[in-house]
Amino acid sequence: MTSVGYDNDQGQDSGGDARTAELAHRLGLVRQRMESAVHVAGRTDSPRLIVVTKFHPAADVRRLVALGVTDVGENRDQEAAAKSAELTHVDVKWHFIGQLQSNKAKSVAKYASSVQSIDRVAVVDALAKAIAREKDATGRSDLDCFIQVSLDDDAGAHRGGANPSDVEVLAGKIESAEGLRLAGLMAVAPLGADPNAAFEKLAGISQALCAVHPAATGISAGMSQDLEAAVKFGATHLRIGSDILGSRPAVG
């Protein structure tokens, strides 16, 4: 489906309500896929849908919230910070899912409900300091922290993430930090790999993590192309972008 043009500044699409209708249709199809996947997997719970809104304007987040979306994900701090500032009074949770540089922790602490891409001790330390300052200043809640684990054989070389052998060190660091809550794991299926095998591996890593940290039950896995496999192997959060928002909007 071709994306509908719209005006970033005014938040109105060029076809009246066409953009909202497009989003509603796409969102409905994804929710149907989720329901079907849950049924096939024999699950009684449904994963939380995080709509990945990178490259799309704040106006689309408003539309999505009006359609019942409660969670959105962003990959870049500059974009996420700008959108969240514009949508201060919109009831939506922001999830940071991109690679995080330590020097961006202070900014992310101002808006993020979770950071799902923690793969280094330095990031944990930076987030702990930033969240402590933000809690003192605004009384914000604890930050949900997901350890991003690489499912590639050569961990970290392709799509980011910590080596599975480093998960416990990061988990202990997060759990001991005031203001941070160890939520679980996040992963991306390796390019060209069978997502079923990848997410089965992730489920095993999660099981090992939960044996030591029983509250860290979150599994953020699955995108537009592989959500069914993620649901099959226990994903609690799905990160869906293009199947809901379509292609990146044209500039100019």
Side-chain angles (χ1 to χ4, degrees):
M1 182 181 295
T2 302
S3 183
V4 176
Y6 47 90
D7 187 319
N8 288 12
D9 294 328
Q10 299 302 317
Q12 299 295 324
D13 57 78
S14 59
D17 200 42
R19 178 59 173 168
T20 298
E22 178 191 9
L23 291 175
H25 176 68
R26 288 178 172 274
L27 183 61
L29 292 177
V30 167
R31 285 174 169 159
Q32 287 175 15
R33 285 177 63 193
M34 291 173 60
E35 290 175 7
S36 177
V38 167
H39 176 73
V40 170
R43 291 176 54 170
T44 57
D45 63 314
S46 184
R48 176 180 292 187
L49 174 62
I50 299 174
V51 181
V52 181
T53 52
K54 64 177 181 180
F55 305 136
H56 294 270
D60 274 354
V61 178
R62 287 196 188 93
R63 293 180 175 101
L64 290 166
V65 172
L67 293 169
V69 168
T70 57
D71 299 81
V72 297
E74 288 286 339
N75 289 61
R76 300 186 305 169
D77 171 62
Q78 184 176 359
E79 184 176 354
K83 288 181 192 174
S84 62
E86 183 176 343
L87 302 174
T88 303
H89 301 298
V90 175
D91 186 14
V92 66
K93 291 184 181 297
W94 298 87
H95 302 266
F96 190 83
I97 62 176
Q99 293 299 298
L100 180 62
Q101 300 300 316
S102 297
N103 63 0
K104 297 294 185 180
K106 184 176 180 180
S107 175
V108 169
K110 295 182 182 300
Y111 60 81
S113 171
S114 81
V115 172
Q116 300 201 358
S117 51
I118 296 174
D119 59 2
R120 306 184 311 283
V121 168
V123 172
V124 179
D125 290 338
L127 284 171
K129 292 178 182 178
I131 292 295
R133 287 193 296 266
E134 196 64 22
K135 285 173 76 77
D136 287 342
T138 67
R140 67 149 292 156
S141 58
D142 289 352
L143 178 73
D144 282 350
C145 296
F146 290 75
I147 298 169
Q148 182 176 357
V149 57
S150 173
L151 302 178
D152 287 294
D153 291 335
D154 48 347
H158 297 295
R159 309 190 80 172
N163 190 297
S165 63
D166 295 329
V167 166
E168 177 52 36
V169 171
L170 288 166
K173 187 76 173 178
I174 293 167
E175 198 159 72
S176 66
E178 187 174 349
L180 305 185
R181 189 182 81 84
L182 178 62
L185 301 176
M186 184 273 262
V188 179
L191 292 168
D194 176 8
N196 286 282
F199 294 142
E200 184 176 20
K201 178 180 180 180
L202 179 62
I205 300 169
S206 174
Q207 185 176 9
L209 176 67
C210 290
V212 182
H213 307 276
T217 57
I219 300 177
S220 178
M223 299 188 293
S224 293
Q225 69 275 17
D226 55 23
L227 75 84
E228 286 82 4
V231 171
K232 178 180 178 181
F233 289 102
T236 60
H237 298 68
L238 301 173
R239 309 181 307 276
I240 311 297
S242 60
D243 273 11
I244 294 174
L245 284 144
S247 58
R248 180 178 180 177
V251 177

